[in-house]
Amino acid sequence: MHQKDFTFNEAFFNKIFPFYILLDENLHVKCFGKSIAKLVPELHQNPAFGDVFKIIRPYIEEISAESFDKSLEQLVIISVKEPSDITLRGQFEPMESGYIFLGSPWFVSINDVIDNNLTLNDFAFHDPLLDILHISKNQEINYKELKELLETVNQQRIALKRDKEELNKLSLVASANKNGVVLFSPDGTILWCNNAYLDIVSLDKEAIIGQFVLDFGPCKITDKDKINEVLEGFRQGQIFEGEKSNLTINNKTHWYKTTKQPVRNEANEIIYYFAIIEDVTLEKEQEEKLRLLSSIAEKNTAAVIICDNKGRIEWINQSFTEITEYTLEEVIGKKIKDVLQGPETDQKTVRFLADQMEKGLPFNCDIINYKKSKNKYWSNVQGRSLNDENGNVLKYFTIQQDISKEKAFNQEIIESENRLYSLIINLQSGILLEDVNRKILIVNKKFCELFGIPVDPELLTGLDCAETAEQSKILFKNPDAFLARIDEILAQKTTVIAENIEMADGRIVERSFIPIYHGNKYDGHLWSYEDVTIKKKYEQSLEAEREKYSNIIANMNMGLLEVDLNDRIQFINQSFSELSGYSRDELIGKRASEIFLDKENKDILNSKAAVRKDGISDSYQIKAKMKTNEEKYWLISGAPNYNLNGELVGSIGIHLDITELKKLEIQKEELLKNLERQNESLNEYAQIVSHDLKSPLRSIHTLVTWIKGEKENVLNAQTQQYISLIEEKVEKMDYLIEGILTFSKIDSYEDANEMVDLNEIIENTIRIIDIPPHIEVTIAKKLPVKNTNRFRMQQLFQNLISNAIIHNDKEKGEVVIDYTEEKECYTFSVKDNGPGIPKKFRNKIFQLFESYSSDNKSTGIGLSIVKKIVEKYNGKIWIESEKEIGTTFYIKMPKEHGTT
């Protein structure tokens, strides 16, 4: 896809970010949104950003090009220096030649919007600020009503209590009391009552006087045991206080509180009882309201906090504990900010809350709080003070809601909308979004390019699509059919996918239509246009290529066989028919394994079918029976076969007849076996020959020794010199035979690997070989323990050390064994201070029987043995030598290896 450059457009930003500010690289205001101009008139002078604004989050004391970068890639809060109560929140983003601020005002009430002469049209459609402020206003009204209700209840409770005290004082003397008053004897006989009592019991005085007091109204008792208990209380002068009962009068339930107390004479004898019956229905209703409010606060999903006038927590509900993980015991007496605030809590918001509480004003804001577990969350805080009649703060009532999910969700919505808009704008298909009245909502640049519209896509927003379609119909090969089809699609309001339209200039455009519904309501539609001219030509070319390659496959020399998942043949080419001897009709639909394979080869084929299910392709050999019963070897290159939906439907194999190659391979295996047998015979022969040669050599050596011992006095000097030469030649011949025998054992010796301490190998070598007194063999540092063959390591180091000793011509000879270690290999070195090796001999010394020394002990086999061992372990050997300074042999060998 070709990447389109983003073009800054002032009208575009005024629409979706009316409070934006564009700065140049020197932080001077270049341009700004239409709505921010109302808030900050000074911007018309294009001042420096730092002259008008200050950044309060993150706090930047002095705004400069260097400090400004600290405000990028995070939430930023800026405020106007004069007046200082205008605050904006948003983010700075770097531009090609400056920066852009995208945000909106931070108001705490709808009054702030009105005070700053802003209207609904000054905000972006997606800006939630006005909705939040309306919610805040409603919440403030609810708090006000709640406060008034609580104040009313308190006033009523105070009035009722005052009335009760007055009535208690007057009950003995005021017969016209509003409460019911009844006078009765200690046995319960009614002696007198006031009119209020008659109203309560709904009887006249004649029906009351002389009757039993416990038979009427709120005092009525039906249980005999309870009646006797009350009468006993009367006789003892018991005072009955606060008895509550209900009575239905005119289908309304009234609640009464009855107080009974005795009247005594001067002798302190009980002569009467009187009862005051107080209608507490209103009090009961207020208690019920208070209980209901308490229940609501306790069961509220939001955290409810009641603080004293100093801001110290007095009470929390269960939701506070569930949200913050703090219990009442852990927070009581503490201030909210000391409990909930943390590192990322905005201090400006904290100061705002403190200021509002200090002034006794309501507050509503969002703030980052912290739980007991130190996990942060976003909280919406709403609250107000509860004041007495004089306006003094009694308590603070606060509701906090965890809005972390809402914050995250709103952010996701914003990001999703931005991504969707960006996606539509930058799609390589022409996109046209219309509302229900066919007014353009969104059109992208590709649409304009596709139909040759030479204007900015944003300028098309709001235009009538019916009119633009009429004007652009000439671009299409069949203009009337183009318009008629649009009307038909709009009438049906069903999805249309990839419908081809021919343009007047020969291009082919693919059109799709997608209706948009919100629930059952039709809310507009989206048109998608794509130039598929090249695609259509490619499809035509592809079809021609497919037919061409189908002919090639059908006639290629290698047999092609296609089977389904059940091994049933679906297709063969002509070459496979010639290869197998079967015609196409004889094979299609048959199981390939049943026709061509025996049981052993069927198992091979089944294993390959299993790996095809994992999408694996490979090659393998198989023996197959032809129609003539002749057996042939096939090399099959198999692969899984998929349909257009990517589903496995079988496998495809290309078959090559390798029968002749297989015969040659069998012959090769036979030759290798014969060669192996011959090598074994040669090794046995070498052992026998070495034994047969060493036996007469030992005899010759013995005879020469006898001659020297018995005839020494009769042999002249010349003869004794000849005899010494014979001994030297016999000894050299013995070394030569021993070297040949060792050389032959290197390959035949079994790879019985073990952990070999190379230090032990060197020490054994020093003990075995003859080291002259003037030569010292040392190990520079402790050698490693290696998993290898002990015999071969012994031979390797023995021959290298012997070689260094034999050729050393210095009065004080030195031989040093050392090594270095790398990640996957060791490099051993054997260094001497001998005469050095001339360059012309350096390539020959490793060849069998090659030696540049005339020493009798030098056979020309030792270094050949060393090289053969090194190559056996896939190693490398080389030398560094300097004349009269000495020679160093280097052997590089893998740490872990197998032999070749």
Side-chain angles (χ1 to χ4, degrees), residues 721-775:
Q721 185 180 1
Y722 291 155
I723 290 174
S724 296
L725 288 174
I726 292 172
E727 284 184 314
E728 290 176 4
K729 298 303 181 183
V730 168
E731 186 177 5
K732 185 170 183 178
M733 188 66 179
D734 185 61
Y735 287 149
L736 185 61
I737 293 170
E738 187 65 33
I740 293 171
L741 183 60
T742 302
F743 189 84
S744 67
K745 286 181 179 180
I746 297 302
D747 286 328
S748 61
Y749 206 91
E750 299 228 352
D751 287 326
N753 288 349
E754 59 181 302
M755 298 306 295
V756 177
D757 186 345
L758 298 181
N759 300 282
E760 181 184 336
I761 293 292
I762 303 300
E763 290 169 1
N764 289 339
T765 300
I766 293 172
R767 285 195 295 270
I768 292 171
I769 63 179
D770 181 22
I771 302 176
H774 69 284
I775 295 178

Side-chain angles (χ1 to χ4, degrees), residues 220-239:
K220 184 174 181 179
I221 299 175
T222 58
D223 183 82
K224 291 184 178 180
D225 293 338
K226 184 65 175 176
I227 292 172
N228 293 330
E229 180 183 342
V230 172
L231 289 175
E232 181 62 27
F234 289 164
R235 288 190 290 272
Q236 294 178 3
Q238 181 178 346
I239 297 175

